[in-house]
Amino acid sequence: MTSVDPAPPPPMRLRELVFGAACAAAVRAAVRLGVPDALDDSPMTVDDLATEVKTQPHTLRRLLRALTCQGVFAENPDGTFEHTEMSRLLREDDPHSLRYIALWCTEPWTWNVWPLLDEAVRSGRNVFEDVYDREFFTYLNDSAPESAHVFNRAMTTSSEQSARDVALLLDLDDASSVVDIGGGQGHVLASLLEKHPHLHGTLLDLPGVVENADPRLRRDGALAGRVDVVAGDCREDVPVRADVYIIKNVLEWDDDSTRRVLANVRAVARPGARVVVIENLVDDTPSMRFTTAMDLLLLLNVGGAKHTRQSMVDRLTGAGLVIGEIRPVNAYLHAFECTVPG
């Protein structure tokens, strides 16, 4: 099998970094061509694989060669190719699939805004609106339905994979109600309700999001009798009173939106209510290469930011919340346990 140099010298490493777009594009191409799904448990020749995915064998070999250098697929001494742990994550049917995450991070709009990162750093604001003349999510929903679909699938994948970890972390035995603010399709909420049969839950998110809520939460779903699905924008209002408020991967928009969400929670929450904020951090985490890259993408598209531990603490205390424990959820997420003061 091909081997990968684990520690290239600095000049070579820098060359690799500046060609990073080629690597990202290669992953995207393999997914869009269907290569990870066509290659199953048995190694395949390039000719057979090319026939399966309807490409030219000589150009497919070039694509695979570029990816095997990164540990995505492996080439055997007889010239056949097989899966690696990373390439299997690009399959549609893998339980830990990152297929839609890979597509989301390489959507067409990303190639148009990355070259303007210097301007975003200089000005401190998003440049997406300069390129597309509209706000990011308006563009997605009105002009890029395929990209919006990829975004929703990516967020669903991420939420499904972290939902169990969140449910294992949180002790809700003493609570009777929980609301997931900006909770997407409700995978985290569904996992919490399944773990705690006494809980009543509320899912709050935009109308176009909650209309595709987890089937367990919909009318006639397994959890329908214990849940309310509320369409709304948490930046405008949080019309739900509960014992526990969960805010996961929401407080990474611009600072004004973050302040408004937290203020809306404070306005409705009872004294003593718990507020659990769950975020990726750009420090104190083994996933810094990923989270720092996402931090820059957030600057480009919405003017937002991933947080350091301290910047998250500053925003939560600035909103008048009392911070208790700060705990890792998994390798990618941290939970900030807060209470509403009396």
Side-chain angles (χ1 to χ4, degrees):
M1 293 186 184
T2 53
S3 61
V4 181
D5 183 357
M12 184 56 64
R13 177 60 181 149
L14 184 57
R15 287 182 169 90
E16 293 172 356
L17 284 175
V18 297
F19 266 108
C23 181
V27 172
R28 179 179 180 83
V31 171
R32 286 173 61 84
L33 290 169
V35 177
D37 295 304
L39 184 60
D40 205 346
D41 292 333
S42 300
M44 293 179 68
T45 66
V46 170
D47 287 345
D48 288 344
L49 198 51
T51 298
E52 188 73 21
V53 300
K54 299 180 174 59
T55 66
Q56 297 297 317
H58 65 285
T59 47
L60 179 60
R61 181 182 292 277
R62 292 166 67 180
L63 178 66
L64 290 170
R65 184 170 57 207
L67 288 168
T68 57
C69 291
Q70 305 291 340
V72 183
F73 304 109
E75 184 176 7
N76 296 312
D78 63 0
T80 59
F81 287 86
E82 67 181 18
H83 271 300
T84 61
E85 288 186 28
M86 276 201 290
S87 63
R88 285 190 180 278
L89 294 173
L90 297 173
R91 287 180 60 91
E92 181 94 41
D93 61 0
D94 190 274
H96 305 290
S97 177
L98 296 177
R99 173 190 179 91
Y100 285 98
I101 299 293
L103 289 174
W104 170 241
C105 293
T106 56
E107 278 297 281
W109 63 267
T110 65
W111 306 104
N112 291 330
V113 296
W114 276 120
L116 301 176
L117 181 59
D118 59 329
E119 175 57 30
V121 171
R122 186 179 297 113
S123 66
R125 61 177 182 82
N126 85 72
V127 296
F128 186 92
E129 294 175 29
D130 295 339
V131 177
Y132 290 97
D133 198 31
R134 68 189 73 183
E135 186 265 346
F136 177 67
F137 286 106
T138 301
Y139 166 80
L140 278 192
N141 292 319
D142 293 349
S143 303
E146 183 178 345
S147 192
H149 171 73
V150 168
F151 172 74
N152 290 333
R153 291 295 300 269
M155 296 305 101
T156 296
T157 296
S158 178
S159 183
E160 286 176 341
Q161 293 175 356
S162 61
R164 182 177 301 177
D165 293 332
V166 173
L168 287 173
L169 178 79
L170 296 183
D171 180 1
L172 301 181
D173 289 344
D174 294 334
S176 61
S177 57
V178 59
V179 55
D180 194 354
I181 297 173
Q185 296 173 337
H187 302 293
V188 169
L189 181 62
S191 293
L192 290 171
L193 294 179
E194 287 182 337
K195 181 183 177 184
H196 301 281
H198 68 285
L199 273 181
H200 183 277
T202 301
L203 174 66
L204 172 66
D205 212 316
L206 298 172
V209 177
V210 296
E211 69 182 14
N212 296 309
D214 188 304
R216 292 170 291 179
L217 305 179
R218 298 182 204 169
R219 182 177 298 176
D220 299 326
L223 301 170
R226 297 166 49 211
V227 68
D228 295 317
V229 177
V230 178
D233 186 342
C234 59
R235 294 172 294 183
E236 302 301 327
D237 187 27
V238 176
V240 184
R241 179 163 284 188
D243 297 326
V244 181
Y245 295 81
I246 295 174
I247 311 174
K248 178 177 173 290
N249 290 131
V250 170
L251 303 182
E252 53 193 30
W253 298 322
D254 59 278
D255 280 348
D256 180 60
S257 294
T258 294
R259 282 192 293 269
R260 287 159 59 192
V261 172
L262 292 174
N264 290 337
V265 172
R266 281 295 319 270
V268 72
R270 305 181 188 93
R274 292 168 61 190
V275 180
V276 182
V277 174
I278 300 171
E279 289 288 342
N280 307 107
L281 299 179
V282 290
D283 62 350
D284 193 26
T285 173
S287 60
M288 278 188 65
R289 288 185 181 178
F290 170 72
T291 53
T292 54
M294 284 300 299
D295 176 55
L296 294 179
L297 189 59
L298 281 166
L299 169 62
L300 288 168
N301 65 358
V302 294
K306 293 288 185 182
H307 290 284
T308 64
R309 177 184 289 244
Q310 189 59 51
S311 71
M312 193 74 258
V313 166
D314 291 344
R315 282 155 180 78
L316 296 174
T317 55
L321 297 172
V322 178
I323 300 175
E325 276 193 290
I326 303 172
R327 296 184 287 166
V329 177
N330 53 32
Y332 302 95
L333 294 166
H334 278 70
F336 293 73
E337 290 264 7
C338 309
T339 55
V340 176

